[in-house]
Amino acid sequence: NAGAVIVGKTNLHELAYGTTSSNAHYGPVRNPWKTDHHPGGSSGGSAAALAAGLALGALGSDTGSSIRQPAACCGCVGLKPTFGRVSKRGGLPLSWGLDHVGPITRTVRDAAIMLQVLAGFDPRDPCSANEPVPDFTAGLDDGIRGSRIGVARAYFFERCDPEVVAGVDAATAVLADLGAIVEGVDIPHADAAWAAASVLISADAAGYHSADVRRRPEAFSDELIASLTVAGFHNSGHYVQAQRLRRYLIDAITTVLKAFDAVIMPTSPRTATPIARPGSGAVRSRNTMPFNLLGLPALSVPCGFTETGLPIGLQIVGKAFDEAGILRLAHAYEQAAGWHTRRPTL
């Protein structure tokens, strides 16, 4: 309705329940930067389409990493808005309380333009937030001089590849050169946030999909059936305790973030891995999933490349409903660093 030309649908991880976008029914999505590597997941087809120049914008869904991690793997911008900022009506659920919908684009400005269209209250989505929608493009060029940015090293820089750490450290220096006040910050209980989110995703996924799997198992891959079977082992006590922990963590971490305009860390500890040996999805989502539990806006922007030519992502996290703030910071960095101008050789 806003005038976009829809050019097609993209492949993704089955039921959006995974981090590689290697789909058992339709085959793997290939990363345009290195076609024997995966593009991240679950919205890997969206990010790959952007990197390959097939579109200017795409939709992604993000329950644990599925907008930001593909954006990081493919050298795109991926924005997970605040929980409730964008309606999920019409989307197939994976986890009712952790699913988010947002844009994947080539530039930060394009992400702001797409979010402007997507954001807003929808009474037909029970999770939709009735919050005012600002002009997300209005302050993009205002600069970030004096902005307070926290660098969350504890937990979030652990288990990261050295090249990822080097890329994020270089981005931190650019932000300081732009006039931001950069200092360390500890985000408490990030490991507990990841654990609680894992319980909620698994339990919700099993609750929604298990009956369908029992009725027609032939429609699902063995991998997906195994994941849902294991997910079904969580009981109501696990679910309740995870929700109680979620409430505590939201309060604790929101208090810490009050002192900062944004917090940064690597989007993913690792860049894209080969399709033939994808590696651990738990490692790839460890830096992103805590912010699904907290419902905070988080954005991935390219911050460099490895020696083998694979993109690295910088994650920028803001206060609830301050997408405008993290977009402004990301735009200032993007324009100074220039990584968004690089394209894969196809």
Side-chain angles (χ1 to χ4, degrees):
N1 289 340
V5 177
I6 308 300
V7 297
K9 295 183 179 181
T10 57
N11 198 1
L12 76 162
H13 210 103
E14 186 179 14
L15 294 185
Y17 201 5
T19 60
T20 66
S21 300
S22 291
N23 190 300
H25 307 284
Y26 301 106
V29 181
R30 298 186 178 274
N31 192 319
W33 292 97
K34 207 168 188 181
T35 55
D36 61 349
H37 283 50
H38 70 74
S42 62
S43 302
S46 293
L50 267 293
L54 303 179
L56 292 174
L59 283 176
S61 67
D62 194 315
T63 309
S65 68
S66 297
I67 288 173
R68 292 156 292 162
Q69 200 239 355
C73 286
C74 293
C76 303
V77 175
L79 173 60
K80 181 196 79 66
T82 307
F83 186 76
R85 172 67 91 183
V86 173
S87 174
K88 296 178 299 204
R89 179 174 52 87
L92 187 72
L94 180 59
S95 173
W96 293 275
L98 300 176
D99 291 345
H100 299 66
V101 174
I104 303 176
T105 58
R106 296 189 196 181
T107 68
V108 175
R109 186 177 295 278
D110 286 350
I113 291 169
M114 277 193 70
L115 183 62
Q116 197 71 54
V117 173
L118 296 169
F121 177 63
D122 181 359
R124 293 168 290 182
D125 173 10
C127 296
S128 184
N130 194 359
E131 291 283 333
V133 177
D135 184 342
F136 295 114
T137 63
L140 284 181
D141 297 313
D142 288 351
I144 59 171
R145 183 165 300 280
S147 297
R148 294 195 67 195
I149 299 173
V151 183
R153 292 196 175 273
Y155 176 85
F156 293 98
F157 280 71
E158 298 165 10
R159 302 177 70 179
C160 286
D161 292 343
E163 287 182 293
V164 171
V165 172
V168 173
D169 284 344
T172 303
V174 171
L175 293 170
D177 289 342
L178 292 171
I181 301 167
V182 180
E183 55 190 271
V185 61
D186 287 332
I187 295 182
H189 313 302
D191 53 346
W194 186 93
S198 298
V199 170
L200 297 178
I201 290 174
S202 297
D204 282 349
Y208 188 88
H209 293 291
S210 290
D212 201 23
V213 170
R214 287 194 297 271
R215 282 195 301 268
R216 49 191 192 107
E218 71 283 355
F220 301 89
S221 69
D222 292 341
E223 175 199 12
L224 196 282
I225 291 174
S227 294
L228 291 175
T229 300
V230 171
F233 294 156
H234 290 298
N235 60 37
S236 59
H238 299 150
Y239 195 85
V240 169
Q241 294 292 3
Q243 291 286 22
R244 291 179 65 196
L245 181 58
R246 180 185 200 175
R247 183 66 262 168
Y248 167 78
L249 292 172
I250 289 173
D251 291 342
I253 295 174
T254 299
T255 299
V256 171
L257 293 182
K258 285 180 180 177
F260 296 92
D261 295 295
V263 176
I264 62 172
M265 69 282 291
T267 304
S268 176
R270 297 176 183 168
T271 56
T273 50
I275 292 170
R277 43 183 181 87
S280 171
V283 172
R284 284 194 293 271
S285 65
R286 64 179 270 116
N287 284 9
T288 50
M289 197 149 65
F291 303 109
N292 291 79
L293 185 80
L294 302 170
L296 298 175
L299 177 152
S300 182
V301 61
C303 69
F305 291 80
T306 65
E307 286 189 4
T308 59
L310 291 169
I312 301 167
L314 170 71
Q315 183 171 224
I316 304 171
V317 180
K319 298 181 180 70
F321 298 102
D322 188 25
E323 289 85 4
I326 62 172
L327 284 164
R328 178 169 54 85
L329 195 156
H331 178 72
Y333 169 73
E334 174 190 79
Q335 295 303 302
W339 297 116
H340 65 294
T341 63
R342 290 183 59 168
R343 295 284 179 264
T345 302
L346 300 178

